[in-house]
Amino acid sequence: LDNSIVDGAVISLANALKVNRSIEDFDLSDNQIKFAGLCALGDVLKLNPCIKNFAIQNNQIGDRGAKVMAQLLRSSDCLRVLDVSFNQITDDGAIALVQSLEVNAKIQKIDLFYSFLSEKTQTQVQIIDK
């Protein structure tokens, strides 16, 4: 299912969600979200402490987006599952996500399925799925 939501629409959605702090599951998979849209969604994660599951699979966030998510994971108290599969993430972004777990043990799963990872990084990433 391709919803074709792009960054501009995501930014508007993110602004509306800043006042709704009761969402636990947030899924914007299968869209055309890139770095700018992800940054707006990051603000939602910061302001909404209830989000436990965040799915943004099959978008276009790449390594820059993965690094933004890694920074958010370091300080998130509630987030347990992050799905960033099918997002053109390479070793660089995946390693940033793995390293964020060193300071936040509450994360239970980060899905990086269909990322462009070396064998070494794939081994590190397997540790994430607790």
Side-chain angles (χ1 to χ4, degrees), residues 8-21:
V10 171
I11 291 168
S12 297
L13 176 63
N15 286 332
L17 290 173
K18 287 178 184 177
V19 295
N20 183 341
R21 299 193 181 184

Side-chain angles (χ1 to χ4, degrees), residues 22-26 45 48-55 73 76-83 106-109:
S22 61
I23 295 172
E24 290 187 10
D25 298 305
F26 194 73
L45 284 174
N48 191 329
C50 295
I51 296 176
K52 294 178 183 170
N53 301 298
F54 185 78
L73 292 179
S76 176
D77 288 330
C78 289
L79 193 65
R80 299 292 179 265
V81 178
L82 173 65
D83 185 349
K106 293 180 181 181
I107 304 297
Q108 297 168 351
K109 181 177 182 175

Side-chain angles (χ1 to χ4, degrees), residues 98-113:
V98 170
Q99 289 173 343
S100 69
L101 297 179
E102 294 172 5
V103 291
N104 187 346
K106 293 180 181 181
I107 304 297
Q108 297 168 351
K109 181 177 182 175
I110 298 176
D111 191 342
L112 283 157
F113 190 67

